[in-house]
């Protein structure tokens, strides 16, 4: 059974940092492109960052470029999202997803349950 479990969310002040983790199980993590998405209330789910299976090729949305860093440790079967210089508009539920070199959520087959990130001003 394919599973992804996010962790690391929480409440942080403007300008602070958080690191999200995504732990997959039931499949070979090292073989797949992975992505981070987020969804704020009333908004559509949006692409945040993506990383290929090697970890060498990364993609970021314009809204997080320069502040967020996606990475992976295939030996530890873990995907990360380091979030720095957080802004109130970063408040959302963050999801990790498996499976596509794409910014479109519909092209990802598997999703975690999400972790809440709240940035207070």
């Amino acid at each position: 059974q394919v599973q992804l479990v996010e962790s690391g969310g929480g409440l942080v002040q403007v300008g602070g940092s958080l690191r999200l983790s995504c732990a997959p199980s039931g499949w070979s993590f090292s073989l797949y492109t992975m992505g981070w998405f987020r969804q704020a209330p009333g908004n559509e789910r949006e692409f945040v960052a993506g990383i290929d299976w090697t970890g060498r090729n990364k993609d970021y949305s314009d809204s997080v470029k320069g502040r967020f860093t996606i990475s992976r440790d295939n030996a530890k079967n873990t995907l990360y999202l380091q979030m720095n210089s957080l802004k109130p508009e970063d408040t959302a539920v963050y999801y990790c997803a498996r499976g596509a070199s794409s910014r479109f959520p519909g092209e990802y087959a598997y999703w975690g349950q999400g972790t809440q990130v709240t940035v207070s001003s």
Side-chain angles (χ1 to χ4, degrees):
Q1 182 179 1
V2 174
Q3 288 187 320
L4 301 96
V5 179
E6 301 95 338
S7 61
L11 175 65
V12 64
Q13 291 187 332
V14 169
S17 298
L18 283 174
R19 188 175 80 158
L20 306 183
S21 298
C22 173
S25 63
W27 47 283
S28 297
F29 171 72
S30 62
L31 299 180
Y32 291 90
T33 292
M34 299 292 296
W36 284 101
F37 290 77
R38 66 187 182 186
Q39 188 167 16
N43 291 355
E44 295 184 351
R45 193 166 296 189
E46 65 171 355
F47 174 80
V48 174
I51 187 168
D52 75 349
W53 67 275
T54 68
R56 290 194 291 267
N57 297 301
K58 304 176 184 181
D59 185 26
Y60 297 95
S61 69
D62 288 344
S63 61
V64 307
K65 194 175 295 183
R67 300 187 298 121
F68 290 11
T69 302
I70 188 172
S71 62
R72 66 191 298 160
D73 186 334
N74 286 343
K76 295 183 178 179
N77 279 352
T78 307
L79 175 73
Y80 302 101
L81 184 70
Q82 178 67 43
M83 305 186 296
N84 298 329
S85 302
L86 283 161
K87 304 176 181 180
E89 52 263 43
D90 295 318
T91 295
V93 177
Y94 283 71
Y95 299 89
C96 65
R98 184 192 100 169
S101 296
S102 170
R103 294 185 171 199
F104 295 99
E107 297 192 17
Y108 287 75
Y110 297 97
W111 295 82
Q113 83 290 348
T115 186
Q116 176 70 46
V117 172
T118 303
V119 184
S120 65
S121 56

